[in-house]
Amino acid sequence: MELLYNSTRDAKVAVTASQAILKGLAGDGGLFIPERIPKLDVSMEALGAMSYQETAYEVMKLFLTDFTEEELKHCIQSAYDEKFDTEEIAPIREADGAYYLELFHGATIAFKDMALSILPHLLTTSAKKNQVKNEIVILTATSGDTGKAALAGFADVPGTKIIVFYPKNGVSPIQEKQMVTQKGDNTFVVGIHGNFDDAQTGVKKIFGDTALAEEMNAAGFQFSSANSINIGRLVPQVVYYVYAYAKMLAKGILSEGETLNVTVPTGNFGNILAAYFAKQMGVPLGKLICASNDNKVLFDFFETGVYDRNREFLLTTSPSMDILISSNLERLIYLIAGSDAEKNVQLMKSLNTEGRYEITDEMRAKLNDFAGGFATEAEVAAEIHEVYEKTGYVLDTHTAVASKVSRDYRKNSGDDAKIVIASTASPYKFTRSVMNAIDSKYDAMGDFELVDELSKIAKTAVPNAIEEIRTAPVRHDTVVEKDEMKAIVKKFLGLA
């Protein structure tokens, strides 16, 4: 049975999965969302015996119904291969009574690899299915991790170019070096003077520029997105929550039907929305605990029903969560509004013009699946220190936010269900913050000295993603003002 995708801003829009992946963003500025969340048609027990790749097929076939079995399996096998440094793809580690779902074993050592390893394959397959002759230009904004994962995924993929914008002083030194050393004749990286929200707003503006779209079409180009606004990013993320539950069941950590809570360090809301989709599919998940850092706009939303971005934008040690406009929340708003696109449009208009909106009591009642929490910078550092001292396990800064929030949730709620924590990045990506949290004596060391020291104390090998940038030359050094984003895109494409 075919599953179509509507726009969150116009339910009359109905496109196939491949069309939604190709477009990235709906023409009206809305996000594509499946007209219904499909139910899993295999048991958790059966899934527990499957590999990650087999689980991915069982989940994704239900969402991507216009892909043939052969096409989808080819995309999955091409994505989840030796690029990952563990056979399990997403192993689960227990430390200090918590279960950490390690999502950072891909080519760029962050959870974005889980979806961005497969997106280029889904996109090029979608282009063929829809007889697209234009070159696809991937345009994306990053708060640190999406950029490198997307660049690595699309580098030298025929028929594509990729342009990534990032906040010049808003990512970690390792994150920046990963991006600016990226190889590939079709890759472009641009720092902007501004924050992630400025970059994301600029990208959305370019997507909505119809005159530019016509100019590009005449020149043989069309835009698509690698951000989590693309449904081709969101669907692969659902997989690892299904996989985690099934594996924990198979290992005897969970009994059949036992409720599992999930804590996700959250910025743009895509990763936790994927957990919500997994729950709607029938996975016995309990609370979806949304963990924020000091930029706690989402925590405040879940507490009050008011989303308000009118506040200071703080730079933290967990930069991938330094976001005040959580784009993917729009999909949840649409769903809790009863798939009322008109209501959603009003709220998004209010966000655009006044920087805030308030949902109704009726909508708030539909947020029972979620709980919110936040961790301050001091609490994040203390969490990294404490977990390491107790267990020898090293958390990155984002995972530490989730770990601290999990601890607080359990204490304050009395809910003693097991919790799986989405561990979204390797500590090697944020070595200075991580090592300083463990012991301030490390602050005197250089970035790569810290890498080697972390390898020693964590008793883990330095990931290849770090080794390859030690001596890599900088290939991208463009920096622009936020109002120059469109001009630089045109320049890269030879349209200026």
Side-chain angles (χ1 to χ4, degrees):
M1 190 171 156
E2 189 167 45
L3 182 65
L4 295 177
Y5 288 76
N6 304 126
S7 165
T8 52
R9 300 189 187 181
D10 182 358
K12 292 191 293 295
V13 170
V15 299
T16 63
S18 63
Q19 288 167 341
I21 289 167
L22 267 177
K23 289 171 183 283
L25 201 62
D28 53 24
L31 277 60
F32 287 111
I33 189 154
E35 57 190 356
R36 66 181 185 281
I37 309 289
K39 295 290 183 192
L40 283 166
D41 57 7
V42 274
S43 69
M44 279 294 143
E45 192 182 13
L47 287 163
M50 291 184 192
S51 67
Y52 192 87
Q53 293 85 342
E54 288 165 337
T55 306
Y57 177 72
E58 293 300 334
V59 173
M60 292 172 69
K61 71 176 187 186
L62 302 173
F63 285 99
L64 310 181
T65 55
D66 65 329
F67 282 67
T68 65
E69 180 177 347
E70 187 186 1
E71 286 169 339
L72 189 50
K73 284 186 171 173
H74 173 72
C75 291
I76 289 166
Q77 295 305 327
S78 304
Y80 304 115
D81 57 9
E82 67 283 347
K83 286 190 291 290
F84 287 80
D85 63 19
T86 55
E87 204 181 318
E88 271 193 281
I89 307 291
I92 297 161
R93 288 282 301 272
E94 186 183 358
D96 195 24
Y99 297 91
Y100 295 92
L101 175 64
E102 293 186 343
L103 300 172
F104 54 74
H105 289 283
T108 74
I109 57 174
F111 82 104
K112 308 290 170 78
D113 289 323
M114 303 299 292
L116 282 164
S117 295
I118 195 169
L119 183 62
H121 303 287
L122 294 175
L123 198 61
T124 48
T125 304
S126 296
K128 277 190 207 123
K129 292 177 92 60
N130 290 276
Q131 289 80 50
V132 168
K133 300 287 185 279
N134 284 344
E135 192 162 4
I136 307 281
V137 180
I138 301 296
L139 189 64
T140 207
T142 185
S143 54
D145 285 337
T146 286
K148 173 60 183 179
L151 288 160
F154 282 94
D156 293 323
V157 170
T160 69
K161 291 189 191 306
I162 176 162
I163 304 170
V164 169
F165 290 97
Y166 74 97
K168 177 65 186 143
N169 297 309
V171 300
S172 82
I174 296 279
Q175 283 177 313
E176 183 171 46
K177 187 140 195 216
Q178 280 188 302
M179 287 189 280
V180 299
T181 58
Q182 177 65 49
K183 295 175 187 168
D185 293 339
N186 65 337
T187 64
F188 304 89
V189 180
V190 185
I192 67 154
H193 291 129
N195 58 40
F196 169 72
D197 289 336
D198 296 324
Q200 183 165 252
T201 300
V203 164
K204 282 185 170 178
K205 215 174 271 182
I206 294 169
F207 266 108
D209 189 326
T210 49
L212 177 60
E214 283 171 27
E215 195 180 340
M216 285 181 58
N217 190 45
F221 297 115
Q222 70 186 63
F223 283 131
S224 190
S225 171
N227 274 78
S228 55
I229 54 175
N230 192 318
I231 200 73
R233 272 278 305 274
L234 190 62
V235 169
Q237 289 180 274
V238 178
V239 174
Y240 48 73
Y241 293 109
V242 178
Y243 178 80
Y245 189 95
K247 283 297 168 211
M248 288 174 78
L249 179 66
K251 289 174 181 173
I253 299 167
L254 296 170
S255 53
E256 197 180 339
E258 184 180 347
T259 298
L260 175 69
N261 292 337
V262 177
T263 308
V264 186
T266 309
N268 218 14
F269 207 75
N271 201 4
I272 195 163
L273 186 68
Y276 178 75
F277 275 29
K279 183 171 182 175
Q280 301 304 305
M281 292 185 84
V283 181
L285 300 179
K287 280 292 182 195
L288 309 175
I289 303 158
C290 177
S292 299
N293 63 15
D294 277 326
N295 290 296
K296 57 187 184 68
V297 63
L298 285 166
F299 169 76
D300 292 341
F301 169 71
F302 284 115
E303 288 291 294
T304 65
V306 176
Y307 192 94
D308 190 347
R309 66 171 170 85
N310 300 309
R311 61 184 71 204
E312 188 186 353
F313 185 100
L314 300 167
L315 292 175
T316 74
T317 55
S318 44
S320 301
M321 298 162 68
D322 291 346
I323 293 172
L324 294 180
I325 304 171
S326 302
S327 287
N328 266 289
L329 186 62
E330 180 171 344
R331 286 186 168 113
L332 182 65
I333 295 298
Y334 172 83
L335 291 172
I336 63 173
S339 302
D340 183 341
E342 227 169 277
K343 176 68 180 166
N344 179 59
V345 167
Q346 284 170 16
L347 295 171
M348 294 308 127
K349 196 173 174 187
S350 176
L351 181 64
N352 199 29
T353 54
E354 295 159 42
R356 71 191 297 280
Y357 60 78
E358 183 168 4
I359 62 173
T360 64
D361 288 344
E362 192 185 358
M363 289 167 75
R364 275 193 81 182
K366 293 180 184 169
L367 291 177
N368 281 343
D369 287 316
F370 294 89
F374 73 98
T376 64
E377 287 288 85
E379 287 171 333
V380 169
E383 186 72 12
I384 293 169
H385 182 86
E386 190 178 327
V387 172
Y388 174 72
E389 286 294 320
K390 275 188 184 174
T391 67
Y393 187 60
V394 181
L395 306 176
D396 97 287
T397 45
H398 304 74
T399 307
V401 171
S403 189
K404 169 70 171 115
V405 167
S406 292
R407 209 183 286 274
D408 289 347
Y409 171 79
R410 179 167 275 152
K411 192 169 69 187
N412 299 333
S413 68
D415 179 351
D416 62 359
K418 293 184 181 80
I419 297 179
V420 70
I421 294 167
S423 184
T424 51
S426 164
Y428 286 94
K429 265 202 137 148
F430 305 95
T431 42
R432 187 160 301 279
S433 300
V434 167
M435 295 299 277
N436 275 348
I438 289 169
D439 193 322
S440 58
K441 72 181 182 189
Y442 293 122
D443 199 35
M445 289 185 175
D447 285 327
F448 285 100
E449 277 182 289
L450 284 172
V451 163
D452 294 329
E453 191 63 24
L454 172 56
S455 176
K456 248 184 259 173
I457 68 160
K459 299 181 176 62
T460 53
V462 176
N464 187 49
I466 300 295
E467 289 294 4
E468 67 187 14
I469 61 169
R470 275 187 199 262
T471 55
V474 170
R475 301 168 61 95
H476 307 274
D477 56 6
T478 305
V479 181
V480 301
E481 301 302 324
K482 59 188 178 186
D483 59 1
E484 297 171 331
M485 289 169 65
K486 176 177 165 182
I488 198 71
V489 167
K490 290 183 73 169
K491 184 181 168 188
F492 286 151
L493 299 179
L495 301 177

